[in-house]
Structure formats: C-alpha cells, structure tokens
Amino acid sequence: MIRHLVAFHGERTASAPLTWSQEQVWNDIQWMMPDVAFFDIWLTAPMPESADLPQLLTQIGELVSRHESLRTLFRADGEGRPEQHVLAAGQVQVDVLSDVLSDGDFDEALSRWRGQGFDTAREIPVRFLVRYVAAGTSTVTVCTSHLAADHASQRLLVTELYELVAAALAGTAPQPPRPAREPVDQAAMEASPAGDLLCARAVEHWRRQLTAAPPSMFQERGGHPVQAPRFWRGERTSRAAALALRVLAARYRSGPSSVLLAAVVALLTSSVGLDRCTLRLVVDNRELPEARFVISTPTQEVLVTLPADQDSFGSLVRACWAASTAAHRHGRCDPRRVDEVIDEVAKARGVELELRCFFNDTWSAFQQAAAVEHDAETIRAAVGESRFHWVERYDRDNIDFFFTTFDSVESTELIRLSLLVDTGTVPPAAAEEFLRRVEALLVDLATGAVIEFRPSDLPPVTGFPADETEVPP
C-alpha cells in the first residue's frame, strides 16, 4: 500500500457550532469511546475504465475541495462544547493498492484500513482507498466519520467522483456541484428564530409520542444468557423481499418503506405481546431542495408510537405511512431538548422509558419507481437465493433492537435486511428467525399466499419476549 497526500483548496474558512444532527452523532461517538472508528462509514464503487492513477488522485482532490464537510475539523472548545472548523486548504490521505492483490487480500486490507478511525480534531474526516488496476476498472473506497457524511452522502460522493473522472477522461468540463446548504450555514439557521420554532414543534411531536409509548418494548428481560460479545448484528440478503416490496408498494399505493415498517411493527408487536410499537425512526431530512444533495449527516432519530392493533395489514401500512410522514416533518431537533422532554414525560408518567428500538430503512431511498412485473412464481423462487450471515459482534452499545436495510453493490434487485440485537434481550437465533419471518411475510402477501390478516394474529417469533423455561441451569 502506497500513501499519497493529495492537496485540496476550498473557497472559505468558517467556524460554527455543530448542527443538531452532527451533535447527535458527536454524543454517540463520545459514548462509544475509546472506539473512535465505530461510527465511521465506508463505500466502495468502480471508477471509469482506463482512468489512470494521476487522474483518480486529481479528481479526489477536486471532490474534497467541493464539499466543506469533508475538509472540516471537529473538536470541543475550552468549555467542552463541540464546534466545527472548515479548512480552506490542506491534504487528504489516499492509499493505493496495486492490481496484484486478489479479492480476498483486498477485503482483508480494506478491513484493516477502514478500522483506523479519525482524530477529527486534527485530521479531516475522510480518506480514500484506491484499488488501482492499470488499463482496467479501478475502484475507490471512501471512508468518512459519520460526523461528515451519512450513507446517502456517500452515494452522492462516489457518483460525483465517477462523473469527475469521466469528464477528465473525455476532456470536458465537469458538472458544477449540486446546490446544497453547507453544515455551517445549517447551524446558523438552527440558531435563528426559525430554528427555534422548528425545534419547538419537534419537541411537541416527541412529547405526544412519549405520552403514548409503552414503558419498554421488551417488558420481560433477563431470561436469556448474554452472549460474549453481547451485541450481534446479522444480515439476510434477499431478492425475494425486494421484489415483494415493489409489488406491495404498488398494491397499497404507498412507498416500500411504509410497507417494510408495517411488516416489522406487526411481527415485533405480535412477538412481544403489545398493541403499540415505539421506535426511534431514523429520518434522512432530505425533503427540502437545499438538503437534497447535501454532503453531511442530516439524519436524526424521531420517535414514533404506532397503534399496531389494526383490522388489517393494509390499515397498518396506512398508519405507518402517516407516522413516517409526521416523523419527517419533525426530523430536526436539538438533541438536548429531546433529552429534556424524555425526562419530563418519564417523570410525569412515573415510569422509566426505555427507548432502545430503532428502524432505519436506507434501501428505499435508492430505488427507482418502475412498473411492477414480478409474478408470484418468480418471487417465491427467489426465496431460495436468500442468505444470512452474522456481520459483526461487539461488547458495547445502548440498543435492544435495531432493524436496518441497505442496498447491495451486487445488484439493484437485492435488499440487505439487517438486525442488531442485545443478546440479553433477543437471542441470536431469534434475531435470525425475525429476519426470515419478515421476508416470508412480505413474500406471502405479494404472492397471494396470504390475502389479509390482523397483525395481532401473527404467531410470535420464539424468543420474543424471553421464555424463562429456555434458560439453561
């Protein structure tokens, strides 16, 4: 591996407090210390064929120059308050691997490389890894601190880098950066009267959801032995679920995300024996024109409490659509105000509120609307292609249940259904079974094996909640 330091040059220096979404990530990073790499994210994408290494390096420098979040330092001031400082010039680290590496060797090198972490007080929060193939197709991996980018931002970055390299190869002028509000300008808006009003409305949304929330989604605990490491995340890669979601979105005249949320809510509530489901919904806050192409981390968590005891799955889809829409309207809020309203409602209700269940659908955001032509036989046959594996296991987190979806670099027709669990709450076998059951529910609905049903009639997943009789002596 050969390291290059590539120069970048921006238009301004600037300093500001963190945005609300950056502060939420900052707090999460501080909580996970000393694991500074835990919240780093990365994405690998191919570059245009025949691009040479100098062209790739030059355009990486251009990419960083275009986006302030990529050339920003994040550090606490003398009183411990986090701030961001945009640099006008500097260097970005680009590591290069030659074409002698096998895929296995590359994967191993990539794993070591992306585990380095960032010292965001002293180095910019982005680095690149180039797998260079002379006279062939090279790949570039971008790794960022979550303070600087979310998954949507990384998709935008690799697309923009591809376009920059392609323009350089063609000898044409590149497209200008897409207009978007920079993070320091977003922080200024949030500190304004308009920001105060936005936050106040979001706080009231949280208050309503907290007032209706069950004290915990897992009211029985401690019935399963805690694994070591304690937190396990598994993934089920499925073409069948992706095909089924497109069919069901058209049937229910809803987005696939609302259908998926309804499936998770139905299965989770029937498994834990509740008629309501409270989740921290991760919203991307990209609805407004100035945020659509932002390179930053605009995502925040918004609480939703959903009435799961509906007369049909279609009714639950509509309830999930309404809840998601409201959550996106209230997706920006000062995390300190959120903590305050959680404490206020908990004290008023005289209960401890455990809000450790999450839902984050990143897959739907990258799907193109298209005519649905998938027949039942094709969808059912695709189930046989699905595969599950455990992605990671670690010791420290503050969740019970975190359901996430991702797209796949292998194919646009795949969805990766991911579930992270505290094994003291949900045993690993139950987590794996939950993902299989989500896929099965979607497939049964899409193929007509199930027409309609009351969500509360779903049989529970074994292990939700803990069954004391299963604990070994």
Side-chain angles (χ1 to χ4, degrees), residues 308-388:
D309 190 18
Q310 304 284 334
D311 60 0
S312 67
F313 184 76
S315 296
L316 183 56
V317 171
R318 289 187 287 274
C320 287
W321 178 87
S324 298
T325 301
H328 280 81
R329 283 200 302 266
H330 303 295
R332 294 190 182 275
C333 192
D334 185 336
R336 290 167 291 188
R337 297 282 301 278
V338 169
D339 290 342
E340 289 169 1
V341 75
I342 292 172
D343 290 342
E344 289 172 14
V345 174
K347 289 176 182 176
R349 293 181 57 183
V351 297
E352 180 181 353
L353 292 171
E354 295 179 344
L355 309 171
R356 296 199 289 263
C357 293
F358 299 75
F359 178 91
N360 183 17
D361 174 28
T362 70
W363 175 82
S364 296
F366 300 105
Q367 304 310 303
Q368 300 295 322
V372 177
E373 300 177 353
H374 309 302
D375 60 74
E377 183 177 348
T378 298
I379 297 173
R380 282 194 295 266
V383 174
E385 305 167 12
S386 299
R387 58 191 186 275
F388 173 88

Side-chain angles (χ1 to χ4, degrees), residues 138-353:
S138 300
T139 64
V140 172
T141 303
V142 56
C143 179
T144 61
S145 166
H146 207 356
L147 285 165
D150 60 2
H151 291 284
S153 295
Q154 289 202 323
R155 287 288 177 189
L156 293 170
L157 285 171
V158 296
T159 299
E160 186 175 0
L161 181 59
Y162 186 98
E163 293 170 350
L164 288 170
V165 174
L169 285 170
T172 59
Q175 292 293 322
R178 296 178 177 90
R181 180 182 287 163
E182 296 288 1
V184 292
D185 301 318
Q186 177 67 28
M189 188 284 293
E190 292 171 355
S192 71
D196 288 341
L197 180 60
L198 192 71
C199 185
R201 290 172 175 168
V203 167
E204 290 311 305
H205 171 86
W206 273 82
R207 191 185 306 278
R208 291 190 296 272
Q209 306 307 307
L210 290 163
T211 300
S216 173
M217 287 300 297
F218 293 92
Q219 300 184 69
E220 298 181 35
R221 294 179 182 276
H224 293 293
V226 177
Q227 303 294 314
R230 178 167 182 163
F231 297 91
W232 290 30
R233 183 170 74 87
E235 279 189 2
R236 185 173 182 88
T237 301
S238 171
R239 187 166 71 95
L243 298 177
L245 280 169
R246 294 188 178 101
V247 170
L248 295 172
R251 177 185 303 171
Y252 294 117
R253 298 181 179 179
S254 177
S257 191
S258 296
V259 177
L260 184 62
L261 177 59
V264 171
V265 167
L267 193 55
L268 178 57
T269 52
S270 69
S271 297
V272 299
L274 293 174
D275 61 1
R276 291 163 294 160
C277 185
T278 294
L279 298 168
R280 288 180 182 258
L281 199 66
V282 181
V283 297
D284 62 8
N285 287 319
R286 291 180 178 271
E287 291 81 12
L288 298 177
E290 65 268 22
R292 192 160 299 147
F293 299 110
V294 70
I295 303 299
S296 184
T297 180
T299 52
Q300 286 195 259
E301 298 159 9
V302 186
L303 202 70
V304 294
T305 297
L306 290 148
D309 190 18
Q310 304 284 334
D311 60 0
S312 67
F313 184 76
S315 296
L316 183 56
V317 171
R318 289 187 287 274
C320 287
W321 178 87
S324 298
T325 301
H328 280 81
R329 283 200 302 266
H330 303 295
R332 294 190 182 275
C333 192
D334 185 336
R336 290 167 291 188
R337 297 282 301 278
V338 169
D339 290 342
E340 289 169 1
V341 75
I342 292 172
D343 290 342
E344 289 172 14
V345 174
K347 289 176 182 176
R349 293 181 57 183
V351 297
E352 180 181 353
L353 292 171

Side-chain angles (χ1 to χ4, degrees), residues 17-37:
L18 301 191
T19 66
W20 294 329
S21 52
Q22 287 173 331
E23 187 167 348
Q24 183 173 298
V25 173
W26 173 276
N27 293 339
D28 290 342
I29 291 174
Q30 302 311 304
W31 196 86
M32 286 299 295
M33 286 295 187
D35 187 355
V36 295

